[in-house]
PDB file of all heavy atoms in Angstrom:
ATOM      1  N   ALA A   9      87.540  44.862  61.883  1.00 98.00           N
ATOM      2  CA  ALA A   9      86.661  45.973  61.499  1.00 98.00           C
ATOM      3  C   ALA A   9      87.029  47.221  62.282  1.00 98.00           C
ATOM      4  O   ALA A   9      86.759  48.341  61.854  1.00 98.00           O
ATOM      5  CB  ALA A   9      85.203  45.602  61.748  1.00 98.00           C
ATOM      6  N   SER A  10      87.637  47.020  63.442  1.00 98.00           N
ATOM      7  CA  SER A  10      88.066  48.153  64.243  1.00 98.00           C
ATOM      8  C   SER A  10      89.390  48.701  63.695  1.00 98.00           C
ATOM      9  O   SER A  10      89.512  49.882  63.385  1.00 98.00           O
ATOM     10  CB  SER A  10      88.224  47.689  65.683  1.00 98.00           C
ATOM     11  OG  SER A  10      88.624  48.752  66.475  1.00 98.00           O
ATOM     12  N   ASN A  73      92.166  60.177  58.920  1.00 98.00           N
ATOM     13  CA  ASN A  73      91.348  58.956  58.864  1.00 98.00           C
ATOM     14  C   ASN A  73      90.057  59.289  58.108  1.00 98.00           C
ATOM     15  O   ASN A  73      89.894  60.417  57.649  1.00 98.00           O
ATOM     16  CB  ASN A  73      91.034  58.453  60.287  1.00 98.00           C
ATOM     17  CG  ASN A  73      90.573  59.585  61.187  1.00 98.00           C
ATOM     18  OD1 ASN A  73      89.777  60.417  60.762  1.00 98.00           O
ATOM     19  ND2 ASN A  73      91.080  59.644  62.395  1.00 98.00           N
ATOM     20  N   VAL A  74      89.139  58.366  58.048  1.00 98.00           N
ATOM     21  CA  VAL A  74      87.894  58.635  57.320  1.00 98.00           C
ATOM     22  C   VAL A  74      87.045  59.664  58.069  1.00 98.00           C
ATOM     23  O   VAL A  74      86.320  60.454  57.466  1.00 98.00           O
ATOM     24  CB  VAL A  74      87.132  57.316  57.041  1.00 98.00           C
ATOM     25  CG1 VAL A  74      86.455  56.776  58.248  1.00 98.00           C
ATOM     26  CG2 VAL A  74      86.128  57.468  55.926  1.00 98.00           C
ATOM     27  N   THR A  75      87.142  59.685  59.385  1.00 98.00           N
ATOM     28  CA  THR A  75      86.350  60.628  60.176  1.00 98.00           C
ATOM     29  C   THR A  75      86.724  62.070  59.843  1.00 98.00           C
ATOM     30  O   THR A  75      85.839  62.898  59.571  1.00 98.00           O
ATOM     31  CB  THR A  75      86.565  60.361  61.689  1.00 98.00           C
ATOM     32  OG1 THR A  75      86.263  58.992  61.953  1.00 98.00           O
ATOM     33  CG2 THR A  75      85.707  61.259  62.542  1.00 98.00           C
ATOM     34  N   THR A  76      88.016  62.374  59.838  1.00 98.00           N
ATOM     35  CA  THR A  76      88.409  63.749  59.513  1.00 98.00           C
ATOM     36  C   THR A  76      88.122  64.062  58.041  1.00 98.00           C
ATOM     37  O   THR A  76      87.775  65.179  57.697  1.00 98.00           O
ATOM     38  CB  THR A  76      89.894  64.039  59.834  1.00 98.00           C
ATOM     39  OG1 THR A  76      90.678  62.966  59.362  1.00 98.00           O
ATOM     40  CG2 THR A  76      90.136  64.215  61.306  1.00 98.00           C
ATOM     41  N   HIS A  99      77.611  55.054  60.581  1.00 98.00           N
ATOM     42  CA  HIS A  99      78.517  55.116  61.734  1.00 98.00           C
ATOM     43  C   HIS A  99      78.461  56.529  62.313  1.00 98.00           C
ATOM     44  O   HIS A  99      78.084  57.477  61.617  1.00 98.00           O
ATOM     45  CB  HIS A  99      79.916  54.799  61.200  1.00 98.00           C
ATOM     46  CG  HIS A  99      80.983  54.637  62.218  1.00 98.00           C
ATOM     47  ND1 HIS A  99      81.698  55.695  62.722  1.00 98.00           N
ATOM     48  CD2 HIS A  99      81.490  53.528  62.807  1.00 98.00           C
ATOM     49  CE1 HIS A  99      82.610  55.246  63.579  1.00 98.00           C
ATOM     50  NE2 HIS A  99      82.505  53.928  63.648  1.00 98.00           N
ATOM     51  N   ALA A 101      80.837  58.396  62.639  1.00 98.00           N
ATOM     52  CA  ALA A 101      81.731  59.254  61.847  1.00 98.00           C
ATOM     53  C   ALA A 101      80.903  60.170  60.954  1.00 98.00           C
ATOM     54  O   ALA A 101      81.290  61.312  60.693  1.00 98.00           O
ATOM     55  CB  ALA A 101      82.676  58.412  61.000  1.00 98.00           C
ATOM     56  N   THR A 143      77.452  54.634  53.700  1.00 98.00           N
ATOM     57  CA  THR A 143      78.572  53.726  53.931  1.00 98.00           C
ATOM     58  C   THR A 143      78.504  52.606  52.893  1.00 98.00           C
ATOM     59  O   THR A 143      77.404  52.143  52.553  1.00 98.00           O
ATOM     60  CB  THR A 143      78.529  53.162  55.371  1.00 98.00           C
ATOM     61  OG1 THR A 143      79.683  52.369  55.578  1.00 98.00           O
ATOM     62  CG2 THR A 143      77.310  52.324  55.646  1.00 98.00           C
ATOM     63  N   ALA A 145      79.547  49.642  53.320  1.00 98.00           N
ATOM     64  CA  ALA A 145      79.184  48.424  54.060  1.00 98.00           C
ATOM     65  C   ALA A 145      79.048  48.788  55.530  1.00 98.00           C
ATOM     66  O   ALA A 145      79.807  49.611  56.042  1.00 98.00           O
ATOM     67  CB  ALA A 145      80.257  47.352  53.880  1.00 98.00           C
ATOM     68  N   ASN A 147      79.399  48.654  59.460  1.00 98.00           N
ATOM     69  CA  ASN A 147      80.423  48.130  60.383  1.00 98.00           C
ATOM     70  C   ASN A 147      79.806  47.214  61.434  1.00 98.00           C
ATOM     71  O   ASN A 147      80.524  46.534  62.154  1.00 98.00           O
ATOM     72  CB  ASN A 147      81.181  49.271  61.076  1.00 98.00           C
ATOM     73  CG  ASN A 147      80.311  50.041  62.042  1.00 98.00           C
ATOM     74  OD1 ASN A 147      79.221  50.468  61.697  1.00 98.00           O
ATOM     75  ND2 ASN A 147      80.783  50.232  63.254  1.00 98.00           N
ATOM     76  N   ASP A 172      81.292  56.480  52.309  1.00 98.00           N
ATOM     77  CA  ASP A 172      82.223  56.144  53.393  1.00 98.00           C
ATOM     78  C   ASP A 172      82.676  54.703  53.154  1.00 98.00           C
ATOM     79  O   ASP A 172      81.889  53.768  53.300  1.00 98.00           O
ATOM     80  CB  ASP A 172      81.480  56.295  54.731  1.00 98.00           C
ATOM     81  CG  ASP A 172      82.254  55.709  55.916  1.00 98.00           C
ATOM     82  OD1 ASP A 172      83.341  55.145  55.711  1.00 98.00           O
ATOM     83  OD2 ASP A 172      81.744  55.811  57.041  1.00 98.00           O
ATOM     84  N   ALA A 174      85.056  53.043  54.775  1.00 98.00           N
ATOM     85  CA  ALA A 174      85.845  52.501  55.904  1.00 98.00           C
ATOM     86  C   ALA A 174      85.728  50.989  56.000  1.00 98.00           C
ATOM     87  O   ALA A 174      86.715  50.296  56.207  1.00 98.00           O
ATOM     88  CB  ALA A 174      85.406  53.153  57.212  1.00 98.00           C
ATOM     89  N   GLN A 175      84.521  50.466  55.856  1.00 98.00           N
ATOM     90  CA  GLN A 175      84.329  49.021  56.008  1.00 98.00           C
ATOM     91  C   GLN A 175      84.308  48.274  54.682  1.00 98.00           C
ATOM     92  O   GLN A 175      84.609  47.086  54.636  1.00 98.00           O
ATOM     93  CB  GLN A 175      83.010  48.738  56.752  1.00 98.00           C
ATOM     94  CG  GLN A 175      83.031  49.166  58.202  1.00 98.00           C
ATOM     95  CD  GLN A 175      84.063  48.419  59.036  1.00 98.00           C
ATOM     96  OE1 GLN A 175      84.424  47.283  58.742  1.00 98.00           O
ATOM     97  NE2 GLN A 175      84.558  49.063  60.080  1.00 98.00           N
ATOM     98  N   THR A 195      89.916  55.160  54.757  1.00 98.00           N
ATOM     99  CA  THR A 195      90.808  55.106  55.913  1.00 98.00           C
ATOM    100  C   THR A 195      91.844  54.021  55.657  1.00 98.00           C
ATOM    101  O   THR A 195      91.528  52.981  55.065  1.00 98.00           O
ATOM    102  CB  THR A 195      89.982  54.885  57.211  1.00 98.00           C
ATOM    103  OG1 THR A 195      90.692  55.424  58.318  1.00 98.00           O
ATOM    104  CG2 THR A 195      89.636  53.431  57.470  1.00 98.00           C
ATOM    105  N   HIS A 197      93.754  52.176  57.804  1.00 98.00           N
ATOM    106  CA  HIS A 197      94.146  51.171  58.802  1.00 98.00           C
ATOM    107  C   HIS A 197      93.205  49.983  58.932  1.00 98.00           C
ATOM    108  O   HIS A 197      93.448  49.100  59.747  1.00 98.00           O
ATOM    109  CB  HIS A 197      94.292  51.854  60.173  1.00 98.00           C
ATOM    110  CG  HIS A 197      92.991  52.343  60.752  1.00 98.00           C
ATOM    111  ND1 HIS A 197      92.360  51.707  61.802  1.00 98.00           N
ATOM    112  CD2 HIS A 197      92.187  53.383  60.420  1.00 98.00           C
ATOM    113  CE1 HIS A 197      91.248  52.362  62.097  1.00 98.00           C
ATOM    114  NE2 HIS A 197      91.122  53.376  61.273  1.00 98.00           N
ATOM    115  N   LYS A 198      92.120  49.967  58.157  1.00 98.00           N
ATOM    116  CA  LYS A 198      91.183  48.830  58.275  1.00 98.00           C
ATOM    117  C   LYS A 198      91.467  47.833  57.150  1.00 98.00           C
ATOM    118  O   LYS A 198      92.509  47.194  57.142  1.00 98.00           O
ATOM    119  CB  LYS A 198      89.754  49.347  58.295  1.00 98.00           C
ATOM    120  CG  LYS A 198      89.422  50.185  59.531  1.00 98.00           C
ATOM    121  CD  LYS A 198      87.984  50.626  59.525  1.00 98.00           C
ATOM    122  CE  LYS A 198      87.684  51.698  60.550  1.00 98.00           C
ATOM    123  NZ  LYS A 198      87.381  51.175  61.878  1.00 98.00           N
TER     124      LYS A 198
HETATM  125  C1  PLP B   1      81.582  52.624  58.595  1.00 71.45           C
HETATM  126  C2  PLP B   1      82.658  53.361  59.339  1.00 71.45           C
HETATM  127  N1  PLP B   1      82.844  54.655  59.072  1.00 71.45           N
HETATM  128  C3  PLP B   1      83.786  55.368  59.703  1.00 71.45           C
HETATM  129  C4  PLP B   1      84.611  54.786  60.648  1.00 71.45           C
HETATM  130  C5  PLP B   1      85.668  55.615  61.313  1.00 71.45           C
HETATM  131  O1  PLP B   1      86.937  55.205  60.913  1.00 71.45           O
HETATM  132  P1  PLP B   1      88.235  56.008  61.403  1.00 71.45           P
HETATM  133  O2  PLP B   1      88.301  55.769  62.887  1.00 71.45           O
HETATM  134  O3  PLP B   1      89.349  55.393  60.677  1.00 71.45           O
HETATM  135  O4  PLP B   1      88.011  57.425  61.091  1.00 71.45           O
HETATM  136  C6  PLP B   1      84.455  53.454  60.959  1.00 71.45           C
HETATM  137  C7  PLP B   1      85.296  52.821  62.006  1.00 71.45           C
HETATM  138  O5  PLP B   1      84.973  51.830  62.578  1.00 71.45           O
HETATM  139  C8  PLP B   1      83.452  52.716  60.291  1.00 71.45           C
HETATM  140  O6  PLP B   1      83.270  51.430  60.564  1.00 71.45           O
END
Side-chain angles (χ1 to χ4, degrees):
S10 180
N73 47 43
V74 75
T75 305
T76 45
H99 187 274
T143 184
N147 68 309
D172 169 358
Q175 292 297 332
T195 206
H197 68 106
K198 294 182 193 275

